[in-house]
C-alpha cells in the first residue's frame, strides 16, 4: 500500500493511490467488511448494471456506500456528506477520497479488493470518481434509487449478526439510563447519558429524543433543560458499521393513570396488527393501509396516522424508506423494519427482523419489563 499524496485529477490508468489488502496496525480498527457478503453485494450491483445496459455506477450517499462497503465509515461529520465516492465497474471497485482522509480509510475502513484513490482536500470528489469510468459517464445513484434499495433489503448473514448486536446495545443503553433516572433528571442530562453509552459501544448517536411529563404531546421532542417529572419518553437511533438501530422506551415514577395505561395497551395492539401484516410478499403500501385501519380499530381515530410518520424498513438508513401510500416495495425475508405507531402521549418502537419463523425483535434487553402481545414480548413502561 502506498502513502497517500496530493494529486492532480485522476486518470483511470494511473490512480494516485491504489490499495490491495494489507495488515493494519495492531491497535487500528479493522474494516468490518465480510468477504462473502461483499461478493453478493457486488453481484447485485452488477445485475443493476446489466439491467440498465451500463458498465459503471457511481455511489455517493452514506446509505449506499456503507451498505456496499459492508460497514465502512465514510463520514466525518454526522451532518455532512460522505468523504468518499465509489465507482463500481466491471473490473472492480474504486473508492475515491480526499488526501487528508486516505491514510485513515486505507488503514481502518477499506475492505479487501477495493482500490483507493486520493484527490486534494479541495478537489472535486464526485467528478474525480466519475472520471475513473471508461467513458467518464457512469450511471448515477439517483437513476437507480429503487433498484439499490431492493438490493439492500435482505440482510446477509454477517450483517444480521452485527445488526442484532447493535440493537441489543442500544436497548441496553436505554435500560441503564432510564433505570438510573429520577423525576429531577433533566431531559438534557438523560440524553447526554444515552449519548455516552452509545459512543462507548462504538456507535454513533444519530437521533436522541426525550420528552418529560410537561412535553408529552410532542412526537419528535428534542431535549430541553426541563426535569422529566413523573413520566418520560426516550428515543435512540444508533449507527454502527453503517447499520441503524431505532428504539423508544418509557419510564414513569408512579402507577400511571387509567387513561395512560389504556392508551399504552391500545398502541401495542396497533403495532401487533402492523407486525402481523409484515410478511414476505406484502407491498409496503398495503401495510400502510393496514396501519391506518389499525388506528381506527383500536380507538385512536382515523386521522392519527397523519400526525407522525409510521416507520418502515430499516437497515442502512433510519427508514429505508418511510412508508407511505405511494411506496410499493415488496417485503422480503431477512428484511429489517422499525415501525413506530404513536398516539397522544404514547409510542412504541423497536427494530425487528423478518425471518422464516416470523418477526424477531432485535432491540431487546432481558432487564426491561415486558408483556405478551399477540404471542410476542413487548415493552411496558419502566417503573423504577
Amino acid at each position: 500500500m502506498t502513502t497517500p499524496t496530493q494529486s492532480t485529477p485522476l486518470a483511470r490508468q494511473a490512480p494516485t493511490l491504489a490499495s490491495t489488502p494489507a495488515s493494519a496496525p495492531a491497535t487500528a480498527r479493522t474494516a468490518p467488511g465480510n468477504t462473502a457478503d461483499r461478493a453478493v453485494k457486488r453481484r447485485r450491483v452488477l445485475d443493476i448494471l446489466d439491467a440498465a445496459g451500463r458498465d459503471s455506477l457511481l455511489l455517493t450517499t452514506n446509505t449506499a456506500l456503507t451498505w456496499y462497503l459492508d460497514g465502512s465509515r465514510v463520514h466525518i461529520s454526522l451532518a455532512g456528506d460522505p468523504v468518499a465516492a465509489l465507482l463500481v465497474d466491471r473490473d472492480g471497485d474504486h473508492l475515491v477520497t480526499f488526501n487528508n482522509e486516505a491514510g485513515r480509510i486505507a488503514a481502518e475502513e477499506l475492505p479487501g479488493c477495493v482500490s483507493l484513490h486520493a484527490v486534494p482536500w479541495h478537489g472535486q470528489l464526485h467528478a474525480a470518481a466519475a472520471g475513473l469510468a471508461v467513458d467518464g459517464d457512469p450511471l448515477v445513484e439517483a437513476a437507480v434509487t429503487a433498484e439499490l434499495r431492493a438490493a439492500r433489503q435482505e440482510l446477509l448473514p454477517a450483517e444480521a449478526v452485527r445488526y442484532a448486536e447493535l440493537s441489543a446495545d442500544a436497548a441496553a443503553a436505554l435500560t441503564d439510563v432510564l433505570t438510573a433516572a429520577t423525576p429531577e433528571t433533566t431531559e438534557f442530562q438523560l440524553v447526554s447519558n444515552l449519548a455516552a453509552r452509545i459512543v462507548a459501544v462504538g456507535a454513533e448517536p444519530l437521533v436522541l429524543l426525550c420528552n418529560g411529563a410537561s412535553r408529552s404531546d410532542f412526537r419528535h421532542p428534542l431535549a430541553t433543560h426541563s426535569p422529566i417529572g413523573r413520566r418520560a419518553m426516550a428515543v435512540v437511533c444508533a449507527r454502527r458499521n453503517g447499520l441503524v438501530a431505532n428504539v423508544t422506551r418509557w419510564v414513569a415514577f408512579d402507577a400511571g393513570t387509567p387513561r395512560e395505561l389504556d392508551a399504552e395497551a391500545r398502541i401495542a395492539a396497533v403495532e401487533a396488527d402492523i407486525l402481523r401484516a409484515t410478511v414476505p410478499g406484502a407491498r409496503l403500501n398495503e401495510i400502510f393501509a393496514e396501519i391506518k385501519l389499525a388506528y381506527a380499530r383500536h380507538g385512536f381515530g382515523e386521522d392519527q396516522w397523519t400526525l407522525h410518520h409510521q416507520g418502515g424498513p430499516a437497515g442502512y438508513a433510519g427508514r429505508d424508506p418511510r412508508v407511505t401510500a405511494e411506496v410499493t416495495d415488496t417485503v422480503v425475508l431477512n428484511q429489517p423494519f422499525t415501525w413506530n405507531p404513536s398516539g397522544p402521549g404514547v409510542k412504541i418502537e423497536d427494530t425487528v427482523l423478518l425471518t422464516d419463523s416470523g418477526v424477531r425483535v432485535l432491540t431487546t434487553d432481558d432487564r426491561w419489563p415486558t408483556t405478551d402481545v399477540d404471542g410476542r414480548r413487548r415493552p411496558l413502561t419502566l417503573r423504577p
Side-chain angles (χ1 to χ4, degrees):
M1 184 179 296
T2 56
T3 302
T5 58
Q6 185 166 316
S7 70
T8 55
L10 297 173
R12 181 180 177 82
Q13 295 80 7
T16 301
L17 180 145
S19 71
T20 54
S23 298
T27 58
R29 175 185 185 273
T30 57
N34 177 276
T35 301
D37 284 4
R38 285 209 65 250
V40 174
K41 294 178 181 184
R42 177 166 169 80
R43 181 66 261 168
R44 291 177 182 175
V45 170
L46 291 177
D47 287 344
I48 292 172
L49 290 176
D50 290 342
R54 302 291 292 274
D55 289 319
S56 61
L57 171 65
L58 181 62
L59 301 180
T60 55
T61 68
N62 191 80
T63 298
L65 287 165
T66 55
W67 166 74
Y68 188 76
L69 295 172
D70 211 31
S72 298
R73 296 176 297 180
V74 290
H75 70 279
I76 296 300
S77 168
L78 292 177
D81 294 331
V83 294
L86 183 81
L87 184 82
V88 182
D89 65 15
R90 305 286 179 181
D91 295 331
D93 302 326
H94 313 274
L95 189 69
V96 180
T97 189
F98 298 114
N99 63 329
N100 57 316
E101 310 294 347
R104 175 186 60 83
I105 287 176
E108 300 177 350
E109 305 293 340
L110 194 70
C113 301
V114 178
S115 62
L116 184 63
H117 313 266
V119 296
W121 62 263
H122 52 83
Q124 299 299 312
L125 190 66
H126 295 177
L132 292 172
V134 171
D135 60 2
D137 184 30
L139 185 66
V140 296
E141 187 179 323
V144 286
T145 299
E147 292 85 347
L148 284 169
R149 195 165 67 228
R152 60 180 178 261
Q153 279 182 293
E154 176 194 0
L155 289 187
L156 296 168
E159 289 177 306
V161 171
R162 292 198 299 268
Y163 207 18
E165 292 171 346
L166 168 64
S167 295
D169 285 343
L174 279 161
T175 301
D176 291 342
V177 170
L178 293 179
T179 299
T182 70
E184 292 73 37
T185 302
T186 69
E187 295 169 348
F188 271 131
Q189 288 171 333
L190 194 147
V191 298
S192 67
N193 291 338
L194 278 174
R197 280 163 173 76
I198 294 300
V199 172
V201 297
E204 298 143 1
L206 300 186
V207 177
L208 295 169
L209 303 176
C210 180
N211 61 8
S214 66
R215 304 174 65 238
S216 61
D217 289 341
F218 300 134
R219 307 286 174 110
H220 276 164
L222 295 175
T224 73
H225 289 291
S226 299
I228 61 175
R230 58 173 287 269
R231 180 173 186 265
M233 176 185 77
V235 179
V236 169
C237 300
R239 182 175 68 190
R240 188 170 65 203
N241 298 330
L243 292 159
V244 183
N246 315 286
V247 58
T248 294
R249 293 290 184 263
W250 290 81
V251 63
F253 302 96
D254 58 21
T257 68
R259 182 176 179 179
E260 289 168 350
L261 297 175
D262 176 65
E264 289 174 11
R266 288 187 292 115
I267 204 66
V270 171
E271 185 203 45
D273 289 354
I274 301 170
L275 294 177
R276 202 177 302 117
T278 306
V279 295
R283 293 192 178 276
L284 293 180
N285 59 334
E286 295 170 345
I287 299 175
F288 186 69
E290 176 60 27
I291 291 172
K292 294 193 285 185
L293 293 173
Y295 278 113
R297 186 182 300 130
H298 297 291
F300 286 100
E302 294 182 355
D303 66 342
Q304 193 61 229
W305 66 272
T306 68
L307 303 179
H308 190 270
H309 80 84
Q310 302 304 307
Y316 287 89
R319 303 297 188 277
D320 195 17
R322 288 183 180 180
V323 169
T324 69
E326 288 72 44
V327 180
T328 60
D329 300 19
T330 300
V331 173
V332 300
L333 276 177
N334 299 315
Q335 184 174 7
F337 293 87
T338 301
W339 301 111
N340 48 261
S342 64
V346 289
K347 178 187 175 188
I348 189 166
E349 177 184 26
D350 274 297
T351 299
V352 306
L353 184 67
L354 180 59
T355 72
D356 55 8
S357 58
V359 169
R360 174 190 169 200
V361 181
L362 300 182
T363 42
T364 60
D365 183 344
D366 290 341
R367 298 172 296 165
W368 193 271
T370 62
T371 189
D372 183 273
V373 180
D374 198 31
R376 187 177 292 108
R377 304 308 299 177
R378 302 304 299 125
L380 292 167
T381 294
L382 177 70
R383 304 184 189 278

